[in-house]
Amino acid sequence: NKKAFVELLFWKSPAIVCEMTKGYGSLQEGEGTTWSRVPPWTPQEEQELRELYWKYKEVEGGDIIAAILAHLPTPGRTRKQVVKQLVRM
């Protein structure tokens, strides 16, 4: 590829570098992208998260995120996902 030098000017993830070396289109659907593995938040989940946050934010000496995770009806959400969603909201 005569224009590969242009690709080297920009930051690449390991998945993109692998794709560059093995050929474009070599990655399977969703492979190498972390955001595609995270299920999106539904409006109902956002509402539940908002309600749990307001319920537990006034608790003294407690970990708000741990309390939210314990009472979140959707299993499989990580602490990082919950914090990121709270910041986004």
Side-chain angles (χ1 to χ4, degrees), residues 2-89:
K2 293 180 180 181
K3 298 185 182 183
F5 69 92
V6 176
E7 292 280 355
L8 298 175
L9 296 175
F10 302 98
W11 180 257
K12 302 287 184 258
S13 69
I16 300 299
V17 172
C18 179
E19 187 177 28
M20 284 174 57
T21 57
K22 293 182 180 178
Y24 293 103
S26 63
L27 289 180
Q28 299 298 322
E29 184 68 31
E31 183 180 328
T33 55
T34 56
W35 60 268
S36 65
R37 289 182 262 164
V38 177
W41 288 81
T42 64
Q44 294 84 12
E45 289 175 328
E46 287 182 355
Q47 183 62 31
E48 291 167 357
L49 183 62
R50 190 175 289 112
E51 290 171 4
L52 287 171
Y53 172 75
W54 286 108
K55 180 178 179 181
Y56 292 110
K57 84 172 202 156
E58 299 298 327
V59 176
E60 291 280 332
D63 186 8
I64 297 171
I65 304 301
I68 289 173
L69 281 171
H71 294 94
L72 200 61
T74 308
R77 294 287 184 189
T78 64
R79 181 178 182 90
K80 184 176 179 180
Q81 291 171 350
V82 170
V83 169
K84 191 173 184 178
Q85 184 65 18
L86 283 171
V87 169
R88 189 187 70 77
M89 290 176 11

